[in-house]
């Protein structure tokens, strides 16, 4: 299996990447994003009764095609989920009528991103050990990716993690989680005075400086990394197999950067029958605009919402989505992305691409405001005594608004509500300590750990990037210092 950039230039032969190269490099060398050259079909009949780790193995085996011995890949998939607090790894709950929540948040940081990042960390470290190499892993987070990445790579010998987060725009638990890893010798956390889109700029500058990137072995495990996307394919199939009462289902996917959406599109190409793929955004609704009208225009500011991990105005996986919808036209993708990243930062596609998204990939979209998030969380709590986190509430409300209850709807459950106790308190209209109580679960090790973090003071030992400073320069200096420290430690 080979991987190729989403962007191509007429007359220039494409560069092909192995599975290992795709995971290690993150971005393609020409500035595009990586996708598999061909999308294989999954043997659904053979896979329908498999456990989550077994299904993960089957999916990854299709894309790695012999680069990892079968025994090693099975061990990686089994080892990746040992810190999850449920034996099934993922659970599915019938929350209301024909709507199900696929609980993806039983991992160490209670975010769905634990699934992809635990596997990706094991895969990357497997290849680094084999090649005797190291990486500086750069992470930009709007809330959950940072904690999940730090948890996955903490203590790993061949990887240093530098994580940037938007100070004042994450929950107390999210911040405490990230800062709790600064005691690890290979973890560095940076509080940025800006939005998650702002902090992506210095990271992208580093990756565009190819000489610096290669010299300091820089990579990324944001959803720019194809490994994250491939693992996210797994829970589409896993949840479909568990519902089992219908030939088709529909999925509602809370959407920020668009990684989960990309995985859903790939799952369809792999043979998953899907009646609808509902893209649910919050008030930062650029993806909803794009999928509804074919036009995406970046707003001047990113709104702070209840669902903070989705507070994104530049959803970088829009590039993969365009490439898939265009039938893998790399030249067209490059033209569109050049338009999107320059000038007024606007993108407009023709009706052919928009029709492909709606008809070939069955995509619908809904934007959900904070008052609708609150309404959904309160309603489900009052009627079902089930506590939603604000991101999952975006997906559930979108499914309700479309009124398609005749088909089973699986809403991707993004995070456990214990990560957002302040929001739970406000939306359920209960005191903070009561919110702690309804979010607690003494039989769930990871929930207990997270609730303790909420009740703890926020650590203050943190690197800061202030607005008046040159963030590109500061990030490059930090990377140079981390590299130097690594080699001093190793000598």
């Amino acid at each position: 299996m080979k991987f190729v950039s989403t962007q191509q230039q007429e007359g220039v032969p494409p560069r092909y990447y192995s599975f290992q190269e795709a995971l290690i490099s993150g971005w393609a060398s020409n500035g595009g994003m990586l996708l598999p050259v061909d999308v294989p079909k999954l043997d659904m009949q053979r896979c329908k009764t498999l456990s989550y780790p077994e299904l993960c193995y089957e999916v990854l085996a299709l894309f790695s095609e012999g680069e990892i011995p079968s025994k090693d890949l099975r061990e990686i998939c089994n080892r990746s989920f040992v810190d999850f607090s449920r034996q099934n790894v993922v659970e599915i709950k019938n929350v209301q009528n024909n709507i199900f929540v696929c609980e993806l948040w039983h991992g160490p940081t209670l975010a769905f991103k634990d699934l992809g990042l635990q596997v990706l960390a094991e895969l990357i470290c497997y290849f680094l050990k084999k090649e005797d190499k190291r990486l500086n892993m750069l992470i930009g987070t709007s809330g959950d990716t940072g904690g999940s990445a730090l948890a996955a790579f903490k203590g790993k010998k061949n990887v240093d993690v530098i994580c940037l987060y938007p100070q004042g725009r994450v929950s107390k638990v999210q911040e405490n989680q990230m800062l709790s890893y600064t005691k690890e010798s290979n973890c560095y956390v940076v509080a940025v005075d800006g939005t998650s889109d702002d902090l992506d700029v210095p990271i992208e500058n580093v990756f565009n400086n190819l000489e610096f990137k290669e010299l300091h072995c820089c990579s990324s495990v944001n959803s720019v990394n194809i490994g994250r996307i491939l693992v996210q394919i797994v829970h589409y199939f896993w949840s479909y197999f568990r519902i089992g009462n219908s030939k088709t289902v529909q999925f509602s996917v809370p959407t920020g950067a668009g990684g989960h959406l990309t995985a859903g599109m790939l799952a369809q190409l792999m043979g998953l029958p899907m009646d609808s793929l509902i893209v649910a955004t919050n008030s930062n609704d650029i993806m909803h605009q794009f999928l509804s009208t074919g036009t995406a225009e970046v707003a001047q500011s990113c709104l702070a919402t209840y669902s903070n991990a989705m507070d994104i105005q530049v959803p970088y996986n829009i590039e993969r989505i365009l490439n898939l919808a265009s039938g893998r036209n790399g030249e067209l993708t490059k033209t569109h992305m050049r338009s999107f990243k320059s000038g007024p930062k606007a993108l407009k596609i023709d009706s052919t691409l928009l029709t492909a998204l709606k008809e070939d990939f069955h995509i619908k979209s809904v934007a959900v405001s904070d008052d609708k998030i609150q309404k959904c969380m309160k309603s489900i709590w009052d009627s079902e005594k089930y506590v939603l986190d604000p991101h999952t509430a975006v997906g559930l409300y979108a499914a309700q608004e479309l009124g398609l209850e005749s088909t089973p709807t699986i809403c991707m459950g993004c995070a456990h509500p214990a990560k957002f106790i302040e929001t739970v308190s406000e939306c359920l209209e209960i005191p903070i300590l009561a919110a702690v109580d309804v979010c607690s679960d003494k039989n769930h090790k990871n929930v207990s750990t997270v609730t303790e973090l909420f009740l703890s003071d926020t650590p203050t030992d943190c690197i800061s990037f202030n607005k008046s400073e040159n963030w590109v320069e500061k990030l490059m200096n930090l990377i140079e210092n981390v590299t130097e420290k690594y080699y001093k430690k190793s000598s």
Side-chain angles (χ1 to χ4, degrees), residues 6 11 17 21 46 51 58 62 82 121 143 175 179 183 192 195 228 249 251 281 296 358 361 405 429 443 446 459 463:
T6 50
Y17 296 74
E21 289 170 334
R46 187 169 62 83
S51 68
E58 294 292 340
L62 290 173
V82 295
E175 186 168 39
L179 294 178
K183 63 182 181 292
V192 172
T195 69
R228 286 266 307 275
V249 297
F251 289 88
T281 74
K358 293 182 177 182
F361 292 98
E405 288 90 348
E429 300 172 352
N443 298 316
N446 293 329
I463 303 164

Side-chain angles (χ1 to χ4, degrees), residues 419-460:
K419 296 196 76 170
F420 305 96
I421 287 172
E422 307 97 322
T423 303
V424 170
S425 168
E426 186 173 341
C427 290
L428 301 192
E429 300 172 352
I430 58 177
I432 282 284
L433 290 180
V436 172
D437 187 52
V438 301
C439 292
S440 296
D441 184 347
K442 293 178 181 177
N443 298 316
H444 196 295
K445 178 186 70 175
N446 293 329
V447 171
S448 298
T449 301
V450 164
T451 353
E452 287 171 14
L453 279 174
F454 177 77
L455 298 170
S456 304
D457 293 332
T458 299
T460 55

Side-chain angles (χ1 to χ4, degrees), residues 248-263:
T248 61
V249 297
Q250 53 194 8
F251 289 88
S252 185
V253 185
T255 300
H260 233 154
L261 170 57
T262 306

Side-chain angles (χ1 to χ4, degrees), residues 170-373:
V170 298
S171 75
K172 181 180 179 181
V173 165
Q174 288 172 319
E175 186 168 39
N176 283 8
Q177 270 183 336
M178 288 184 276
L179 294 178
S180 71
Y181 293 108
T182 57
K183 63 182 181 292
E184 301 285 343
S185 63
N186 69 325
C187 294
Y188 304 84
V189 180
V190 180
V192 172
D193 185 13
T195 69
S196 60
D197 289 323
D198 294 335
L199 62 83
D200 280 339
V201 174
I203 294 174
E204 193 165 341
N205 269 270
V206 168
F207 284 112
N208 287 335
N209 186 332
L210 296 183
E211 183 179 353
F212 184 90
K213 175 194 170 187
E214 295 300 323
L215 178 63
H216 292 281
C217 308
C218 296
S219 186
S220 173
V221 288
N222 282 90
S223 61
V224 61
N225 192 300
I226 189 61
R228 286 266 307 275
I229 307 293
L230 299 182
V231 177
Q232 286 172 188
I233 292 169
V234 177
H235 37 264
Y236 280 94
F237 282 98
W238 187 91
S239 56
Y240 170 79
F241 293 144
R242 294 310 175 281
I243 297 300
N245 297 324
S246 176
K247 289 184 179 178
T248 61
V249 297
Q250 53 194 8
F251 289 88
S252 185
V253 185
T255 300
H260 233 154
L261 170 57
T262 306
M265 294 173 73
L266 289 171
Q268 291 183 69
L269 294 174
M270 292 178 72
L272 182 64
M274 198 180 294
D275 192 65
S276 298
L277 181 55
I278 303 166
V279 176
T281 74
N282 62 19
S283 295
N284 296 292
D285 62 351
I286 184 169
M287 192 68 86
H288 170 58
Q289 293 174 33
F290 173 66
L291 296 170
S292 302
T293 67
T295 299
E297 190 168 348
V298 178
Q300 289 188 339
S301 61
C302 188
L303 301 173
T305 73
Y306 286 146
S307 49
N308 63 1
M310 294 158 57
D311 289 349
I312 292 171
Q313 275 291 339
V314 185
Y316 42 80
N317 277 291
I318 202 168
E319 181 168 333
R320 284 187 171 119
I321 293 159
L322 275 170
N323 190 260
L324 291 171
S326 69
R328 313 303 300 278
N329 188 329
E331 293 173 25
L332 181 63
T333 305
K334 181 174 183 176
T335 299
H336 279 308
M337 293 313 298
R338 187 184 296 144
S339 167
F340 188 51
K341 292 180 178 180
S342 63
K345 291 195 173 181
L347 170 67
K348 186 172 179 59
I349 60 172
D350 62 28
S351 59
T352 305
L353 282 180
L354 189 58
T355 299
L357 288 165
K358 293 182 177 182
E359 295 186 4
D360 296 347
F361 292 98
H362 313 291
I363 292 174
K364 300 177 172 66
S365 66
V366 177
V368 181
S369 61
D370 270 3
D371 62 323
K372 292 175 180 177
I373 292 173

